[in-house]
Every structure is written in C-alpha cells, then in structure tokens.
C-alpha cells in the first residue's frame, strides 16, 4: 500500500523523488517504492530521510519501532508478528517481486496467497523469466501427516481439500523454465516463504490454524545463522518431495 504519510510530508516540503534520493544517497526508484509501494528502507536510510524532511521516523515507518525491538534479540530478526493474519498479502507479494536469485515456498496449502493475490503466478513467471529460481513445495493431500494436521487443527478433511486446491492454483506453472513444483508429505513445523536473503517464517502451533500463529521476518546476515537454519530445512524437505507432474489431478 502507498505510504501516504511520506507522500504528504515530501509534498509539503517540496521534495521530489530524485531530490530526496540525491539527499540520502539512494536510487530514485527506491524513493518511488517507499512512496508508492509502502516499502521500508534500511534503518540508517530511514533516519536520514526523516531528518531531511523533518518528520518522525516512526510516524513514517511504524514497522521500524517493532524491528528495533526485534534486533535486540537477533541481528537477523527484522520483525515479529503475533499472527500471520496481521500481515497483508502485499507483504508476501512484495517479498517475491523483489527476488532476483531465489524464491522458495514450503507450505501445506497457503491458498490465501492466490485467493488474496490473483497475480501470484504471474509474478512468479516474471521472476523466473528474469533468471530467478522458483521452488514451490505443497502438501500431499494423501499424506498421513497432512491428515493428522487437519485433526489437530479441527479442520477435519478441509486441509486435504485445500492442499489439492493449492496444487491446482500452481499447476499452470508446470513446464515454466526455472519453476519447480513438488509435493511433500513431511510433518510441517513451519511454513517458509523465502526471497533471496529474506524469509518469512510462519511458526505452527499445535491445535491452532496457521493464520493465528506467529510470523518472524528474517534477513540473512552471516553463514550459519538463524536464516540458514530455516533455509537448510527447506532443502531437506525439498530432497524428499516428488515432482507435481507425477500427481494426477483429482
């Protein structure tokens, strides 16, 4: 969503995208994304912007207040959200649209992505066409682990149907260069949404639907850190998963 507070503050003080970009030493396209797409700049850059336009940095980007507290725990922890429902789907869409090298998704279904953002497949095609590797792993509806998860969440057979629906959402991407689709039957401790060195981790809580469970936003700093722990878990599940091409439509 656009950052109307930033737009108004710039307009009131006569700042153009190019002028502000030159003042804080960034590309004008970065300023355009801050204003029109609601992107949040790096903390140091944000403070220089706030100083330049005479605004409170937390009024411009409230998320930075949360990120500040998170960094006291881990340098890789950008933000912590009590529930996935707190994140607008644009947070996921923006994450993927910025990817250059890697997009990895590990879920059972997560049909909220396609339901709330119908352009998701188009974005994934665009990123793949630009050379980005896209790997999507969704749950096998016939897996005992998926059925067990449904019972734990009191979803009954609903989660199995949602896994099949997720397959149908992604099926148009079969055969697209640099896009791989697989089905897995593992116990899913976390849903993972990766774009290059950023990762959204939707932690799963026994008996609680994923949308009510917390999400932490990680940014990779060094090898062997928290980010890599989750990235390696994705790779481990990916090795056990089977290509979607081998699964018949139901």
């Amino acid at each position: 969503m656009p950052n109307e507070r930033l737009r108004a503050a710039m307009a009131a003080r006569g700042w153009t995208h190019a002028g502000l970009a030159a003042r804080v030493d960034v590309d004008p396209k970065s300023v355009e994304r801050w204003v029109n797409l609601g992107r949040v700049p790096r903390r140091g850059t944000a403070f220089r912007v706030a100083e330049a336009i005479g605004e409170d940095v937390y009024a411009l980007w409230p998320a930075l207040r949360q990120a500040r507290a998170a960094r006291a725990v881990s340098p890789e922890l950008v933000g912590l959200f009590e529930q996935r429902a707190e994140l607008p789907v644009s947070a996921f869409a923006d994450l993927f649209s910025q990817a250059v090298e890697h997009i990895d998704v590990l879920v059972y279904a997560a049909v909220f992505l396609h339901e709330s953002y119908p352009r998701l497949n188009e974005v994934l095609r665009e990123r793949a066409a630009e050379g980005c590797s896209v790997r999507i792993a969704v749950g096998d509806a016939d897996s005992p682990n998926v059925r067990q998860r449904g019972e734990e969440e009191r979803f009954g057979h609903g989660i199995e149907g949602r896994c099949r629906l997720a397959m149908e959402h992604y099926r148009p991407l079969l055969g697209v260069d640099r896009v791989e689709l697989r089905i897995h039957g593992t116990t899913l401790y976390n849903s993972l949404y990766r774009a290059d060195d950023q990762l959204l981790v939707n932690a799963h809580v026994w008996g609680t639907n994923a949308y009510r469970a917390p999400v932490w936003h990680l940014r990779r700093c060094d090898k062997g850190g928290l980010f890599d722990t989750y990235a390696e878990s994705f790779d481990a599940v990916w090795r056990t998963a089977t290509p979607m091409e081998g699964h018949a439509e139901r």
Side-chain angles (χ1 to χ4, degrees):
M1 295 178 62
N3 187 330
E4 297 297 344
R5 181 68 176 259
L6 177 59
R7 189 196 306 277
M10 289 176 60
R13 293 161 180 82
W15 284 104
T16 64
H17 292 173
L20 184 58
R23 174 67 176 271
V24 299
D25 195 25
V26 298
D27 189 279
K29 289 186 178 297
S30 295
V31 179
E32 183 178 345
R33 286 190 286 267
W34 302 339
V35 174
N36 296 330
L37 300 180
R39 302 276 175 82
V40 180
R42 293 181 181 275
R43 188 175 184 82
T45 303
F47 274 88
R48 291 199 301 274
V49 171
E51 181 180 7
I53 63 178
E55 272 283 351
D56 178 76
V57 68
Y58 299 119
L60 294 172
W61 294 289
L64 287 175
R65 190 183 302 277
Q66 181 181 49
R68 184 181 187 183
R71 284 193 178 89
V73 179
S74 167
E76 292 190 290
L77 188 58
V78 177
L80 175 62
F81 304 87
E82 291 185 7
Q83 298 183 354
R84 192 195 72 199
E86 292 180 9
L87 275 76
V89 72
S90 60
F92 297 87
D94 288 348
L95 189 76
F96 296 145
S97 66
Q98 295 176 62
V100 175
E101 297 181 350
H102 304 286
I103 291 176
D104 292 335
V105 176
L106 173 63
V107 296
Y108 270 164
V111 294
F112 76 93
L113 288 174
H114 283 94
E115 290 173 348
S116 301
Y117 191 67
R119 286 195 68 251
L120 179 62
N121 281 2
E122 185 177 342
V123 168
L124 297 178
R125 285 177 183 270
E126 290 170 355
R127 302 320 308 139
E130 293 293 326
C132 186
S133 169
V134 179
R135 299 186 296 178
I136 310 291
V138 300
D140 182 351
D142 296 320
S143 164
N145 289 319
V146 169
R147 291 197 294 270
Q148 180 66 29
R149 175 66 179 276
E151 294 173 6
E152 292 168 356
E153 293 186 345
R154 294 177 288 278
F155 245 2
H157 295 291
I159 192 169
E160 299 163 41
R162 292 173 76 80
C163 286
R164 293 192 173 97
L165 180 58
M167 288 177 61
E168 297 313 308
H169 280 313
Y170 286 112
R171 197 175 291 278
L173 296 174
L174 285 171
V176 175
D177 286 346
R178 300 187 186 87
V179 176
E180 293 185 79
L181 304 173
R182 294 189 183 183
I183 308 300
H184 73 96
T186 62
T187 300
L188 193 63
Y189 300 108
N190 303 279
S191 293
L192 304 177
Y193 308 86
R194 177 188 179 181
D196 293 339
D197 287 342
Q198 296 196 69
L199 179 65
L200 294 175
V201 180
N202 186 189
H204 292 175
V205 179
W206 195 95
T208 300
N209 298 124
Y211 71 87
R212 294 179 55 205
V215 172
W216 38 89
H217 180 185
L218 302 178
R219 180 179 289 114
R220 189 173 187 263
C221 294
D222 300 303
K223 289 184 179 180
L226 191 58
F227 181 99
D228 282 352
T229 297
Y230 286 104
E232 289 165 8
S233 75
F234 177 95
D235 290 337
V237 173
W238 187 255
R239 289 192 291 271
T240 71
T242 57
M244 187 181 291
E245 292 93 327
H247 290 254
E249 296 187 42
R250 289 177 171 83

